[in-house]
Amino acid sequence: MIDKKLGKEIIAKRVAKELKSGQLVNLGIGLPTKIANYIPEGIEVSFQSENGMTGMGKLSPEESENKDIINAGGGYVSVLPDGAFFDTSFSFGLIRGGHVDLTVLGALEVDKMGNLASWIIPGKLVPGMGGAMDLVTGAKKVIIAMLHTAKGTPKILDECTLPLTAKGVIDLIVTELGVMEVTDKGIVLKEINKDTTIEEIKSLTACELIIDDNLQVMEV
C-alpha cells in the first residue's frame, strides 16, 4: 500500500503531465491545488480560480503569503505577472461559457458510467458543492484526482451511492495506483504505478476494470 501523503504527490505529478500549453485550467480545492507545483518544463497554462482570478501561481509558502490573495478553497496562492482579478459573475461566465479547457477535481465516489459524487455525505458536515457542478458541465475535459480508496474502501464503483454532482461527465481518473479512462464500454486502466499490481488495483476497485492492451507504467 502506498503512503497517503506520497500518494497525493504522485497523483499531482501525473495529472500535471496532462497539461498543454495555452490551456485555461481550473484546479479544485485540496489535492488538485498541488498540481500547480509540478507544471512540466516548457508548458505554459493559465490557472483559473472560480472566486475570480486567472494567472494563478503556486501555493504560497508559509510566512510569505499575501493574505488578500486566495484560491477558491481559501488557500494562499501567488499570482503571475499576467494574472487578472474579476468578480464571480465574470468568473462563472468563463466556466459556463465553455472557455475552461480542463478542470481537475477531487471526488468522494465515481462510477463506471462517469458519474461524479463530490459534494455531500448525508448527515455529515462538508463544505458543499461550490463551483463543481458548473465546472464539470462547462469545462471541455474533466479529470478526477483522488486517492484510490477511502481508508481501504473503494471509491471507484459500479454505481455511485452518494448524491451526484453530475452524470456522465468524467473523462479521466488519476489515483496513486493508476490512470483510468472512462469510455462507453467502462473504465479502462491505461497506466499502472510501478509499485502495485493489476490484481491489487482490481481488489481495491468495486467495478470491473478493462485492462488496456497497451498498459503503461505511470510516469511521475
Side-chain angles (χ1 to χ4, degrees), residues 198-210:
I198 293 174
E199 288 71 27
E200 182 184 37
I201 294 180
K202 284 184 173 180
S203 72
L204 297 172
T205 306
C207 70
E208 182 180 356
L209 282 178
I210 302 168

Side-chain angles (χ1 to χ4, degrees), residues 50-94:
E50 60 263 36
N51 58 324
M53 186 190 328
T54 56
M56 182 173 64
K58 296 180 180 180
L59 294 171
S60 297
E62 286 188 23
E63 300 183 358
S64 65
E65 60 272 81
N66 182 330
K67 296 187 183 303
D68 291 325
I69 303 176
I70 59 172
N71 60 23
Y76 297 116
V77 293
S78 59
V79 179
L80 302 180
D82 61 351
F85 299 94
F86 33 79
D87 62 20
T88 52
S89 176
F90 186 90
S91 188
F92 275 84
L94 284 175

Side-chain angles (χ1 to χ4, degrees), residues 8-25:
K8 291 181 178 181
E9 299 302 319
I10 291 171
I11 295 166
K13 289 178 180 178
R14 177 57 189 85
V15 173
K17 293 183 180 297
E18 293 292 316
L19 303 179
K20 295 178 174 58
S21 287
Q23 287 183 323
L24 182 63
V25 179

Side-chain angles (χ1 to χ4, degrees), residues 35-46:
I35 294 165
N37 296 329
Y38 297 112
I39 303 171
E41 188 174 349
I43 299 297
E44 294 186 5
V45 299
S46 182

Side-chain angles (χ1 to χ4, degrees), residues 167-218:
K167 298 181 70 173
V169 293
I170 301 170
D171 296 296
L172 198 69
I173 303 166
V174 179
T175 77
E176 74 277 27
L177 300 183
V179 178
M180 289 145 279
E181 182 180 4
V182 179
T183 73
D184 292 340
K185 296 180 180 178
I187 296 177
V188 180
L189 180 64
K190 307 283 289 187
E191 298 178 21
I192 185 171
N193 188 307
K194 64 180 178 58
D195 294 323
T196 189
T197 63
I198 293 174
E199 288 71 27
E200 182 184 37
I201 294 180
K202 284 184 173 180
S203 72
L204 297 172
T205 306
C207 70
E208 182 180 356
L209 282 178
I210 302 168
I211 310 302
D212 192 278
D213 291 339
N214 191 30
L215 182 66
Q216 303 285 315
V217 174
M218 286 175 74

Side-chain angles (χ1 to χ4, degrees), residues 84-161:
F85 299 94
F86 33 79
D87 62 20
T88 52
S89 176
F90 186 90
S91 188
F92 275 84
L94 284 175
I95 297 168
R96 294 172 184 171
H99 303 289
V100 175
D101 295 294
L102 170 67
T103 186
V104 186
L105 301 172
L108 297 169
E109 293 177 347
V110 299
D111 68 29
K112 66 182 181 183
M113 284 84 74
N115 298 328
L116 168 65
S118 65
W119 70 284
I120 192 171
I121 299 174
K124 290 190 175 182
L125 182 63
V126 293
M129 186 176 289
M133 185 170 61
D134 292 277
L135 285 162
V136 295
T137 54
K140 296 171 185 171
K141 183 175 181 178
V142 176
I143 296 178
I144 298 302
M146 65 175 191
L147 292 170
H148 204 90
T149 67
K151 299 179 180 178
T153 300
K155 297 171 70 175
I156 304 174
L157 312 173
D158 260 328
E159 185 173 357
C160 290
T161 63

